[in-house]
Amino acid sequence: MLRGGPSGARNPPSLEQINAEVFTLTYGSIVRQLIADFEDIEEVNKQLEQMGYNMGIRLVDEFLAKAKISRCSSFRDTADVVAKQALPMFLNVSANVTNWSPDQTECSLVLTDNPLADFVELPEEYRELKYCNVLAGVVRGALEMVNMDVECRWVSDMLRGDDCYELRIKLKEHRDEKFPYKDDD
Amino acid sequence: MSIYSLYVINKSGGLIYNRPGMLNDRRRSGHSLHAIASQLSPVPGCTGIELLEADTFNLHCFQARAGSGGTLTGTKFLLVVDPHASFIPTLLQRIYELYSDYVLKNPFYETEQVIKCELFDENVELLIRRYTQQAT
């Protein structure tokens, strides 16, 4: 999806790449258009998340097909795979996994670089806008397809003056893997 | 060495693709076979059929497998091939990649629905032709 040099410890599989600016600018105009269409920032946040979700449920198959990963044994593993392999593969950035909750069901992905927001300055009137909410949706959609129901929200955002992007992921339910049915009565 | 047919089954058990287009009542058999096999199997934690060998054909199934990065999303790829055919797992992996590119990235493809994507058809055709040429 994006061009760029080497990143991360393990090299992500090479995908066809596009100019990062085309991508950033396209995303920017989508967000702009959503604001124009919905006028309500809360609604825009929701739409972005939904768009991300729709991408995530398709994207996960590409990741599984091309990334040659092995099965994750815990939610901890999964978070690592998202941060160290999926993000580098599709966005050419990697994240750190931190702030685990004591019961290991909640963690944060911390990004210091985010190509989605490269040229963005958030005006005062859009302070409530979660500019990168599409990513939260992608993660939720992708994990849902591998049987994990998660909740994703941005807790820090550099566009709003924080010093990193922090995406909080909370595992709500890990569904059983039996496809598609067990015993029929 | 030849590839007899390819089936793609969605996670609810519906047949969404078959090649060459002979739609018959093999519709739900992929999932059922799987479900039955995993229950009959004496091996604990069995995840179903991976390869079924018969006198006249081999049936390969590509699905969630620990360690080999198969599909965890519930989509199954079944390939019926000549018993002498080799490198089928690699071929299935390639087909899965084609599916993630030409089917899932097509914005007008509705997920879980029947696959009607010409680009996918063409590329699968190409892949299989290349495979059979290489093998002979």
Side-chain angles (χ1 to χ4, degrees):
Chain A
M1 224 157 140
L2 276 177
R3 65 187 296 275
S7 67
R10 259 175 292 184
N11 282 337
S14 51
L15 295 185
E16 228 172 288
Q17 300 184 329
I18 64 159
N19 186 301
E21 283 186 27
V22 172
F23 171 71
T24 308
L25 297 178
T26 309
Y27 185 68
S29 54
I30 290 174
V31 176
R32 235 11 255 273
Q33 188 62 44
L34 283 175
I35 295 175
D37 287 351
F38 289 98
E39 287 166 2
D40 173 36
I41 296 300
E42 256 327 293
E43 187 58 30
V44 174
N45 289 340
K46 223 162 78 193
Q47 289 295 328
L48 283 173
E49 209 270 353
Q50 186 58 38
M51 284 164 59
Y53 174 82
N54 291 336
M55 287 158 71
I57 56 176
R58 292 167 178 240
L59 214 60
V60 67
D61 265 314
E62 176 169 23
F63 177 70
L64 294 170
K66 296 180 183 168
K68 314 267 186 311
I69 51 158
S70 55
R71 205 184 192 91
C72 296
S73 56
S74 63
F75 183 54
R76 246 197 132 86
D77 278 1
T78 311
D80 266 335
V81 167
V82 173
K84 303 287 181 226
Q85 293 190 52
L87 283 174
M89 176 166 156
F90 291 113
L91 274 185
N92 202 28
V93 290
S94 69
N96 285 320
V97 189
T98 53
N99 295 344
W100 279 96
S101 66
D103 59 351
Q104 307 279 310
T105 58
E106 240 186 290
C107 67
S108 295
L109 299 189
V110 175
L111 294 104
T112 46
D113 180 25
N114 184 347
L116 282 176
D118 265 351
F119 313 111
V120 181
E121 289 173 42
L122 210 57
E124 204 49 48
E125 73 244 56
Y126 299 145
R127 270 198 72 78
E128 290 312 307
L129 178 67
K130 292 174 185 140
Y131 190 81
C132 306
N133 221 18
V134 76
L135 279 185
V138 170
V139 172
R140 179 171 72 93
L143 291 183
E144 184 179 298
M145 290 306 279
V146 289
N147 297 318
M148 274 176 260
D149 285 343
V150 295
E151 206 179 87
C152 288
R153 65 200 157 83
W154 289 100
V155 290
S156 341
D157 188 336
M158 280 164 97
L159 296 178
R160 289 195 251 178
D162 302 314
D163 49 10
C164 62
Y165 296 94
E166 181 177 346
L167 181 66
R168 194 84 186 137
I169 304 180
K170 181 180 178 195
L171 179 67
K172 288 192 299 190
E173 199 194 345
H174 194 165
R175 277 169 288 125
D176 193 18
E177 291 214 358
K178 284 282 182 295
F179 287 111
Y181 20 62
K182 277 174 133 177
D183 276 320
D184 287 342
D185 313 62
Chain B
M1 292 219 238
S2 52
I3 309 288
Y4 297 144
S5 46
L6 164 70
Y7 302 93
V8 182
I9 298 168
N10 70 10
K11 68 172 164 201
S12 29
L15 182 67
I16 54 171
Y17 185 79
N18 73 338
R19 172 200 176 273
M22 295 181 301
L23 208 67
N24 54 24
D25 40 40
R26 248 171 277 190
R27 274 186 152 271
R28 283 181 174 272
S29 59
H31 267 309
S32 328
L33 267 180
H34 235 274
I36 295 169
S38 52
Q39 289 193 3
L40 283 181
S41 166
V43 185
C46 168
T47 49
I49 294 177
E50 197 176 341
L51 166 63
L52 185 120
E53 289 179 309
D55 291 342
T56 48
F57 67 89
N58 281 1
L59 178 119
H60 289 257
C61 176
F62 182 73
Q63 191 244 1
R65 300 294 311 164
S68 70
T71 100
L72 290 159
T73 48
T75 312
K76 280 194 185 67
F77 295 79
L78 296 177
L79 207 54
V80 181
V81 299
D82 194 288
H84 307 293
S86 51
F87 300 111
I88 297 298
T90 330
L91 185 67
L92 277 166
Q93 178 76 32
R94 285 289 304 139
I95 292 174
Y96 185 32
E97 283 172 26
L98 292 178
Y99 166 78
S100 74
D101 279 342
Y102 294 105
V103 177
L104 293 177
K105 281 186 196 165
N106 177 355
F108 298 106
Y109 170 71
E110 302 273 348
T111 46
E112 305 291 298
Q113 297 303 311
V114 173
I115 301 171
K116 286 190 194 121
C117 306
E118 272 180 36
L119 277 173
F120 180 64
D121 291 343
E122 281 168 24
N123 281 282
V124 166
E125 214 55 52
L126 206 70
L127 176 71
I128 290 182
R129 207 176 314 143
R130 220 180 316 140
Y131 169 82
T132 27
Q133 269 169 12
Q134 229 166 44
T136 45

